[in-house]
Amino acid sequence: MINIPATPYDGVEETLQLLKEHFNLILLTKGHNTEQENKIHRSGLERYFDSYEVMYEKNEDAYRNILKKYNISAADFVMIGNSDKSDILPVINIGGQAIHIPSDYVWDHEVASEDAKQGKDYPVIGTFREIPATLQKMEFA
């Protein structure tokens, strides 16, 4: 897997370029440090991010630690990801906001139960290109 191309989804690079002009961007990924860092470098997208973090687990405590490290209030934090369980719900549960972009390639253990999603309100979009318009509709502290 180390040599497989890390090709970004359609619209990712253009969207990141636009977002970079208006937001501080931190890439948060989960997995083995060396593998994830290698994938970040191979993707060619590293230049759009102010920083990146390879997290052991994406849960409420981990996100709280990230916010503390970067001195970001939860109300000013928006997570964009493809996993309800790891990217979306923990951030909402600590007072942040999230945008869900479902993917056909989400592991079964990353799918949240309907009970866990009950009462949670967050936008679900189809492509990365929809992110700027979705962010414009969201309220920030």
Side-chain angles (χ1 to χ4, degrees):
M1 290 194 48
I2 292 175
N3 296 320
I4 295 174
T7 307
Y9 290 117
D10 181 52
V12 170
E13 189 160 3
E14 300 89 336
T15 301
L16 288 174
Q17 190 170 5
L18 179 64
L19 294 176
K20 179 78 174 140
E21 296 173 12
H22 304 282
F23 299 97
N24 291 325
L25 302 178
I26 303 169
L27 175 63
L28 302 175
T29 187
K30 176 177 155 179
H32 187 271
N33 248 8
T34 304
E35 292 172 8
Q36 293 301 316
E37 287 179 358
N38 183 286
K39 191 185 318 182
I40 292 165
H41 297 308
R42 286 184 291 120
S43 74
L45 300 176
E46 185 177 13
R47 67 183 177 269
Y48 297 109
F49 293 94
D50 297 288
S51 185
Y52 67 86
E53 297 283 338
V54 179
M55 303 163 71
Y56 175 74
E57 191 62 56
K58 288 180 168 179
N59 57 33
E60 292 173 23
D61 286 338
Y63 284 109
R64 281 188 195 99
N65 289 335
I66 292 291
L67 296 179
K68 183 177 181 179
K69 177 178 179 175
Y70 290 96
N71 196 29
I72 302 169
S73 74
D76 290 331
F77 182 71
V78 179
M79 179 66 177
I80 301 167
N82 66 348
S83 169
D84 282 316
K85 188 174 180 180
S86 292
D87 298 324
I88 307 303
L89 297 178
V91 171
I92 290 173
N93 289 341
I94 65 167
Q97 298 187 64
I99 300 172
H100 186 213
I101 306 175
S103 170
D104 295 335
Y105 306 105
V106 175
W107 295 348
D108 288 341
H109 71 273
E110 288 293 329
V111 177
S113 70
E114 290 304 313
D115 285 344
K117 295 189 280 186
Q118 190 72 28
K120 308 292 192 237
D121 186 30
Y122 53 91
V124 178
I125 60 177
T127 70
F128 281 85
R129 294 182 195 281
E130 296 174 57
I131 293 171
T134 304
L135 286 169
Q136 286 181 338
K137 295 175 190 174
M138 298 173 80
E139 294 182 22
F140 297 94

